[in-house]
Amino acid sequence: MKRFDNKVVLVTGAGAGIGRAAAEKFAAEGAKVVCNSVDESARPTAEQLAAAEAEAIFIQGNIANEDDVRRMVDMAVDTYGRIDVLINNAGIVRGGTVENTTVSDFRLTMDINVIGTFLMSQYTVPYMLKQGGGVIVNTASVAGLKGHTNRISYAASKGAVIALTKSMATELCGKNIRVNCVCPGTTLTPSLKDRINASPDPEATMAEFCARQPIGRLGDPSEIAEAILFAACDQAAYMTGASIIIDGGMTM
């Protein structure tokens, strides 16, 4: 018996990095996986899972657009009949300080990272209530706990995701819906690799990133995905409103 046999899991931002790793691990644990991305990037994820004889579909949509969210959630339920687990993973990172961050970048970050998480939850919760329960796991960040230089909009958004997690957990605790979040440290996702490779000295930039981690290296998306699966599994049924820190010791 696998941990997610016959469970339907919707993963936003499933095209790369943590989202793709989570989709793959859920499928390996028996889940039917709905893979979402704002572009076509999650289509190969769903196709790869289906080729491996897992049940998976791709649904394109922008989590910050209410009409897209309504359509995505309805399509997932129309296909599989329910949503047992919602993984709010999609997000963006914009650099910038309080002095040079543009209002448009700040708003875009909040729209995707916070309002997107809120909308996906708002449209999924009624189905979870109707079916008798469910689990929501949000991808936050240690940036929402301690702040990061040159990441003011990102840190603010992830702090909001942590607060949103706790508020939803409080509201839904008596309705058999658990809500938790994971707070990754610096993780070597494709987007981070691109930023490192685009720097004037990629080797020095990588060394600088690693030096910030007491454990001496960056996280792997699969490690963060393991924390997501734990937060979502029935074996963690006593946990709600929690923020799982997985950061190589950055917040010690």
Side-chain angles (χ1 to χ4, degrees):
M1 182 73 176
K2 297 178 179 179
R3 283 187 293 174
F4 294 93
D5 273 347
N6 300 315
K7 298 249 177 119
V8 178
V9 181
L10 195 167
V11 183
T12 67
I18 295 168
R20 178 164 189 156
E24 291 170 348
K25 286 181 180 291
F26 275 115
E29 289 280 2
K32 301 170 185 177
V33 186
V34 179
C35 302
N36 156 260
S37 57
V38 69
D39 51 20
E40 288 279 320
S41 62
R43 185 183 295 278
T45 304
E47 290 175 347
Q48 174 190 317
L49 298 182
E53 299 186 349
E55 290 196 57
I57 60 168
F58 164 66
I59 301 179
Q60 185 174 349
N62 181 355
I63 63 169
N65 181 291
E66 189 170 2
D67 290 336
D68 275 12
V69 169
R70 182 188 298 109
R71 175 182 53 81
M72 288 189 292
V73 172
D74 287 348
M75 280 182 66
V77 174
D78 287 345
T79 302
Y80 291 125
R82 58 192 294 122
I83 299 173
D84 297 288
V85 179
L86 169 65
I87 308 299
N88 284 313
N89 171 75
I92 62 168
V93 181
R94 289 286 189 273
T97 68
V98 69
E99 297 171 285
N100 63 27
T101 296
T102 64
V103 172
S104 61
D105 266 0
F106 199 98
R107 283 180 174 150
L108 179 64
T109 302
M110 299 300 284
D111 279 349
I112 295 173
N113 294 0
V114 184
I115 293 177
T117 297
F118 162 72
L119 284 173
M120 288 299 302
S121 302
Q122 185 176 59
Y123 278 92
T124 302
V125 163
Y127 286 112
M128 289 183 171
L129 291 172
K130 191 180 298 184
Q131 71 201 23
V135 182
I136 299 172
V137 183
N138 301 321
T139 301
S141 169
V142 294
L145 296 169
K146 68 183 294 292
H148 281 311
T149 57
N150 199 41
R151 292 287 185 275
I152 191 165
S153 62
Y154 180 73
S157 73
K158 293 304 185 177
V161 170
I162 293 168
L164 182 62
T165 297
K166 293 181 181 298
S167 293
M168 288 197 299
T170 300
E171 292 174 355
L172 299 170
C173 189
K175 299 175 182 178
N176 199 34
I177 299 175
R178 298 189 297 111
V179 189
N180 295 295
C181 69
V182 296
C183 295
T186 309
T187 306
L188 195 56
T189 61
S191 63
L192 179 58
K193 289 178 185 176
D194 289 343
R195 295 203 303 274
I196 290 172
N197 291 334
S199 69
D201 187 343
E203 189 173 333
T205 302
M206 174 64 85
E208 182 182 341
F209 272 115
C210 291
R212 301 189 317 192
Q213 322 301 317
I215 206 168
R217 65 173 177 85
L218 303 186
D220 187 89
S222 67
E223 295 173 309
I224 313 305
E226 286 288 351
I228 291 173
L229 263 71
F230 172 70
C233 74
D234 290 342
Q235 288 76 14
Y238 195 52
M239 182 174 71
T240 194
S243 301
I244 300 175
I245 299 171
I246 176 166
D247 67 350
M250 184 186 288
T251 52
M252 287 195 301

